[in-house]
PDB file of all heavy atoms in Angstrom:
ATOM      1  N   PRO F  45      -4.149 136.785   4.358  1.00  0.00           N
ATOM      2  CA  PRO F  45      -4.296 136.427   5.736  1.00  0.00           C
ATOM      3  C   PRO F  45      -3.572 137.432   6.679  1.00  0.00           C
ATOM      4  O   PRO F  45      -2.623 138.079   6.207  1.00  0.00           O
ATOM      5  CB  PRO F  45      -3.623 135.049   5.827  1.00  0.00           C
ATOM      6  CG  PRO F  45      -2.627 135.054   4.650  1.00  0.00           C
ATOM      7  CD  PRO F  45      -3.236 135.866   3.600  1.00  0.00           C
ATOM      8  N   ALA F  46      -4.065 137.538   7.914  1.00  0.00           N
ATOM      9  CA  ALA F  46      -3.521 138.512   8.848  1.00  0.00           C
ATOM     10  C   ALA F  46      -2.032 138.263   9.150  1.00  0.00           C
ATOM     11  O   ALA F  46      -1.266 139.196   9.338  1.00  0.00           O
ATOM     12  CB  ALA F  46      -4.342 138.507  10.110  1.00  0.00           C
ATOM     13  N   VAL F  47      -1.651 136.992   9.198  1.00  0.00           N
ATOM     14  CA  VAL F  47      -0.262 136.615   9.447  1.00  0.00           C
ATOM     15  C   VAL F  47       0.066 135.373   8.622  1.00  0.00           C
ATOM     16  O   VAL F  47      -0.746 134.484   8.489  1.00  0.00           O
ATOM     17  CB  VAL F  47      -0.038 136.374  10.960  1.00  0.00           C
ATOM     18  CG1 VAL F  47      -0.919 135.279  11.516  1.00  0.00           C
ATOM     19  CG2 VAL F  47       1.410 136.043  11.257  1.00  0.00           C
ATOM     20  N   ALA F  48       1.270 135.389   8.046  1.00  0.00           N
ATOM     21  CA  ALA F  48       1.715 134.263   7.224  1.00  0.00           C
ATOM     22  C   ALA F  48       3.216 134.323   7.095  1.00  0.00           C
ATOM     23  O   ALA F  48       3.845 135.319   7.467  1.00  0.00           O
ATOM     24  CB  ALA F  48       1.030 134.261   5.902  1.00  0.00           C
ATOM     25  N   ASP F  49       3.835 133.323   6.444  1.00  0.00           N
ATOM     26  CA  ASP F  49       5.244 133.271   6.261  1.00  0.00           C
ATOM     27  C   ASP F  49       5.635 133.942   4.973  1.00  0.00           C
ATOM     28  O   ASP F  49       4.758 134.348   4.166  1.00  0.00           O
ATOM     29  CB  ASP F  49       5.753 131.822   6.266  1.00  0.00           C
ATOM     30  CG  ASP F  49       7.233 131.723   6.725  1.00  0.00           C
ATOM     31  OD1 ASP F  49       7.888 132.748   6.802  1.00  0.00           O
ATOM     32  OD2 ASP F  49       7.666 130.600   7.017  1.00  0.00           O
ATOM     33  N   ILE F  50       6.937 134.067   4.720  1.00  0.00           N
ATOM     34  CA  ILE F  50       7.372 134.682   3.504  1.00  0.00           C
ATOM     35  C   ILE F  50       6.896 133.872   2.243  1.00  0.00           C
ATOM     36  O   ILE F  50       6.686 132.701   2.354  1.00  0.00           O
ATOM     37  CB  ILE F  50       8.972 134.799   3.439  1.00  0.00           C
ATOM     38  CG1 ILE F  50       9.560 133.388   3.644  1.00  0.00           C
ATOM     39  CG2 ILE F  50       9.425 135.761   4.544  1.00  0.00           C
ATOM     40  CD1 ILE F  50      11.091 133.416   3.540  1.00  0.00           C
ATOM     41  N   GLY F  51       6.728 134.586   1.176  1.00  0.00           N
ATOM     42  CA  GLY F  51       6.271 133.981  -0.045  1.00  0.00           C
ATOM     43  C   GLY F  51       4.767 133.808  -0.181  1.00  0.00           C
ATOM     44  O   GLY F  51       4.283 133.365  -1.225  1.00  0.00           O
ATOM     45  N   VAL F  52       3.994 134.164   0.857  1.00  0.00           N
ATOM     46  CA  VAL F  52       2.571 134.080   0.800  1.00  0.00           C
ATOM     47  C   VAL F  52       1.974 135.416   0.411  1.00  0.00           C
ATOM     48  O   VAL F  52       2.202 136.438   1.079  1.00  0.00           O
ATOM     49  CB  VAL F  52       1.978 133.613   2.200  1.00  0.00           C
ATOM     50  CG1 VAL F  52       0.464 133.585   2.098  1.00  0.00           C
ATOM     51  CG2 VAL F  52       2.552 132.261   2.570  1.00  0.00           C
ATOM     52  N   ALA F  53       1.215 135.470  -0.672  1.00  0.00           N
ATOM     53  CA  ALA F  53       0.586 136.685  -1.136  1.00  0.00           C
ATOM     54  C   ALA F  53      -0.469 137.162  -0.081  1.00  0.00           C
ATOM     55  O   ALA F  53      -1.277 136.375   0.369  1.00  0.00           O
ATOM     56  CB  ALA F  53      -0.080 136.504  -2.503  1.00  0.00           C
ATOM     57  N   ARG F  54      -0.437 138.438   0.184  1.00  0.00           N
ATOM     58  CA  ARG F  54      -1.391 139.027   1.168  1.00  0.00           C
ATOM     59  C   ARG F  54      -2.247 140.038   0.464  1.00  0.00           C
ATOM     60  O   ARG F  54      -1.739 140.945  -0.225  1.00  0.00           O
ATOM     61  CB  ARG F  54      -0.614 139.709   2.309  1.00  0.00           C
ATOM     62  CG  ARG F  54       0.617 138.948   2.754  1.00  0.00           C
ATOM     63  CD  ARG F  54       0.289 137.718   3.529  1.00  0.00           C
ATOM     64  NE  ARG F  54      -0.048 138.042   4.820  1.00  0.00           N
ATOM     65  CZ  ARG F  54       0.890 138.262   5.764  1.00  0.00           C
ATOM     66  NH1 ARG F  54       2.169 138.187   5.533  1.00  0.00           N
ATOM     67  NH2 ARG F  54       0.510 138.524   7.044  1.00  0.00           N
ATOM     68  N   GLU F  55      -3.529 139.953   0.642  1.00  0.00           N
ATOM     69  CA  GLU F  55      -4.462 140.906   0.070  1.00  0.00           C
ATOM     70  C   GLU F  55      -4.611 142.095   0.993  1.00  0.00           C
ATOM     71  O   GLU F  55      -4.972 141.942   2.186  1.00  0.00           O
ATOM     72  CB  GLU F  55      -5.862 140.268  -0.181  1.00  0.00           C
ATOM     73  CG  GLU F  55      -6.827 141.289  -0.776  1.00  0.00           C
ATOM     74  CD  GLU F  55      -8.260 140.761  -0.790  1.00  0.00           C
ATOM     75  OE1 GLU F  55      -8.612 140.009   0.154  1.00  0.00           O
ATOM     76  OE2 GLU F  55      -9.014 141.120  -1.699  1.00  0.00           O
ATOM     77  N   ILE F  56      -4.351 143.294   0.512  1.00  0.00           N
ATOM     78  CA  ILE F  56      -4.572 144.524   1.275  1.00  0.00           C
ATOM     79  C   ILE F  56      -5.804 145.183   0.737  1.00  0.00           C
ATOM     80  O   ILE F  56      -5.826 145.675  -0.446  1.00  0.00           O
ATOM     81  CB  ILE F  56      -3.339 145.461   1.128  1.00  0.00           C
ATOM     82  CG1 ILE F  56      -2.075 144.757   1.649  1.00  0.00           C
ATOM     83  CG2 ILE F  56      -3.589 146.715   1.976  1.00  0.00           C
ATOM     84  CD1 ILE F  56      -0.820 145.574   1.411  1.00  0.00           C
ATOM     85  N   LYS F  57      -6.854 145.177   1.514  1.00  0.00           N
ATOM     86  CA  LYS F  57      -8.170 145.701   1.069  1.00  0.00           C
ATOM     87  C   LYS F  57      -8.448 147.012   1.762  1.00  0.00           C
ATOM     88  O   LYS F  57      -8.363 147.092   3.014  1.00  0.00           O
ATOM     89  CB  LYS F  57      -9.240 144.691   1.370  1.00  0.00           C
ATOM     90  CG  LYS F  57     -10.654 145.091   0.907  1.00  0.00           C
ATOM     91  CD  LYS F  57     -11.642 143.965   1.208  1.00  0.00           C
ATOM     92  CE  LYS F  57     -13.007 144.360   0.759  1.00  0.00           C
ATOM     93  NZ  LYS F  57     -14.021 143.284   1.089  1.00  0.00           N
ATOM     94  N   VAL F  58      -8.809 148.030   0.955  1.00  0.00           N
ATOM     95  CA  VAL F  58      -9.150 149.331   1.503  1.00  0.00           C
ATOM     96  C   VAL F  58     -10.549 149.645   1.080  1.00  0.00           C
ATOM     97  O   VAL F  58     -10.915 149.550  -0.105  1.00  0.00           O
ATOM     98  CB  VAL F  58      -8.223 150.441   0.893  1.00  0.00           C
ATOM     99  CG1 VAL F  58      -8.501 151.772   1.573  1.00  0.00           C
ATOM    100  CG2 VAL F  58      -6.779 150.039   1.123  1.00  0.00           C
ATOM    101  N   SER F  59     -11.413 149.957   2.058  1.00  0.00           N
ATOM    102  CA  SER F  59     -12.837 150.205   1.779  1.00  0.00           C
ATOM    103  C   SER F  59     -13.362 151.295   2.651  1.00  0.00           C
ATOM    104  O   SER F  59     -12.698 151.732   3.609  1.00  0.00           O
ATOM    105  CB  SER F  59     -13.644 148.894   1.955  1.00  0.00           C
ATOM    106  OG  SER F  59     -13.508 148.461   3.289  1.00  0.00           O
ATOM    107  N   GLY F  60     -14.536 151.770   2.306  1.00  0.00           N
ATOM    108  CA  GLY F  60     -15.172 152.847   3.124  1.00  0.00           C
ATOM    109  C   GLY F  60     -16.067 153.727   2.289  1.00  0.00           C
ATOM    110  O   GLY F  60     -16.701 153.236   1.321  1.00  0.00           O
ATOM    111  N   ASN F  61     -16.159 154.979   2.606  1.00  0.00           N
ATOM    112  CA  ASN F  61     -16.954 155.968   1.914  1.00  0.00           C
ATOM    113  C   ASN F  61     -16.071 157.083   1.390  1.00  0.00           C
ATOM    114  O   ASN F  61     -15.044 157.434   2.031  1.00  0.00           O
ATOM    115  CB  ASN F  61     -18.026 156.499   2.806  1.00  0.00           C
ATOM    116  CG  ASN F  61     -19.004 155.456   3.244  1.00  0.00           C
ATOM    117  OD1 ASN F  61     -19.655 154.829   2.431  1.00  0.00           O
ATOM    118  ND2 ASN F  61     -19.114 155.224   4.543  1.00  0.00           N
ATOM    119  N   TRP F  62     -16.472 157.709   0.281  1.00  0.00           N
ATOM    120  CA  TRP F  62     -15.664 158.730  -0.369  1.00  0.00           C
ATOM    121  C   TRP F  62     -16.575 159.905  -0.714  1.00  0.00           C
ATOM    122  O   TRP F  62     -17.679 159.694  -1.251  1.00  0.00           O
ATOM    123  CB  TRP F  62     -15.039 158.177  -1.608  1.00  0.00           C
ATOM    124  CG  TRP F  62     -13.870 159.002  -2.120  1.00  0.00           C
ATOM    125  CD1 TRP F  62     -13.903 160.044  -2.990  1.00  0.00           C
ATOM    126  CD2 TRP F  62     -12.520 158.835  -1.761  1.00  0.00           C
ATOM    127  NE1 TRP F  62     -12.684 160.527  -3.212  1.00  0.00           N
ATOM    128  CE2 TRP F  62     -11.782 159.811  -2.450  1.00  0.00           C
ATOM    129  CE3 TRP F  62     -11.812 157.954  -0.931  1.00  0.00           C
ATOM    130  CZ2 TRP F  62     -10.385 159.975  -2.354  1.00  0.00           C
ATOM    131  CZ3 TRP F  62     -10.429 158.123  -0.808  1.00  0.00           C
ATOM    132  CH2 TRP F  62      -9.728 159.094  -1.538  1.00  0.00           C
ATOM    133  N   ASN F  63     -16.116 161.096  -0.413  1.00  0.00           N
ATOM    134  CA  ASN F  63     -16.877 162.279  -0.755  1.00  0.00           C
ATOM    135  C   ASN F  63     -16.537 162.730  -2.177  1.00  0.00           C
ATOM    136  O   ASN F  63     -15.515 163.406  -2.446  1.00  0.00           O
ATOM    137  CB  ASN F  63     -16.587 163.416   0.212  1.00  0.00           C
ATOM    138  CG  ASN F  63     -17.298 164.719  -0.130  1.00  0.00           C
ATOM    139  OD1 ASN F  63     -18.359 164.679  -0.772  1.00  0.00           O
ATOM    140  ND2 ASN F  63     -16.744 165.839   0.264  1.00  0.00           N
ATOM    141  N   GLY F  64     -17.322 162.263  -3.190  1.00  0.00           N
ATOM    142  CA  GLY F  64     -17.008 162.507  -4.580  1.00  0.00           C
ATOM    143  C   GLY F  64     -16.750 161.236  -5.315  1.00  0.00           C
ATOM    144  O   GLY F  64     -17.263 160.172  -4.942  1.00  0.00           O
ATOM    145  N   CYS F  65     -15.963 161.333  -6.375  1.00  0.00           N
ATOM    146  CA  CYS F  65     -15.706 160.168  -7.203  1.00  0.00           C
ATOM    147  C   CYS F  65     -14.766 159.220  -6.473  1.00  0.00           C
ATOM    148  O   CYS F  65     -13.621 159.541  -6.184  1.00  0.00           O
ATOM    149  CB  CYS F  65     -15.067 160.622  -8.521  1.00  0.00           C
ATOM    150  SG  CYS F  65     -16.138 161.626  -9.524  1.00  0.00           S
ATOM    151  N   ALA F  66     -15.282 158.053  -6.161  1.00  0.00           N
ATOM    152  CA  ALA F  66     -14.537 157.057  -5.334  1.00  0.00           C
ATOM    153  C   ALA F  66     -13.412 156.435  -6.142  1.00  0.00           C
ATOM    154  O   ALA F  66     -13.410 156.427  -7.343  1.00  0.00           O
ATOM    155  CB  ALA F  66     -15.527 155.986  -4.839  1.00  0.00           C
ATOM    156  N   PRO F  67     -12.439 155.893  -5.416  1.00  0.00           N
ATOM    157  CA  PRO F  67     -11.282 155.213  -6.060  1.00  0.00           C
ATOM    158  C   PRO F  67     -11.760 154.021  -6.914  1.00  0.00           C
ATOM    159  O   PRO F  67     -12.751 153.371  -6.578  1.00  0.00           O
ATOM    160  CB  PRO F  67     -10.453 154.737  -4.905  1.00  0.00           C
ATOM    161  CG  PRO F  67     -10.813 155.630  -3.760  1.00  0.00           C
ATOM    162  CD  PRO F  67     -12.202 155.965  -3.939  1.00  0.00           C
TER     163      PRO F  67
END
Side-chain angles (χ1 to χ4, degrees):
V47 58
D49 206 349
I50 56 176
V52 178
R54 320 289 280 278
E55 179 191 34
I56 302 174
K57 183 178 179 180
V58 185
S59 59
N61 296 299
W62 198 271
N63 178 25
C65 297

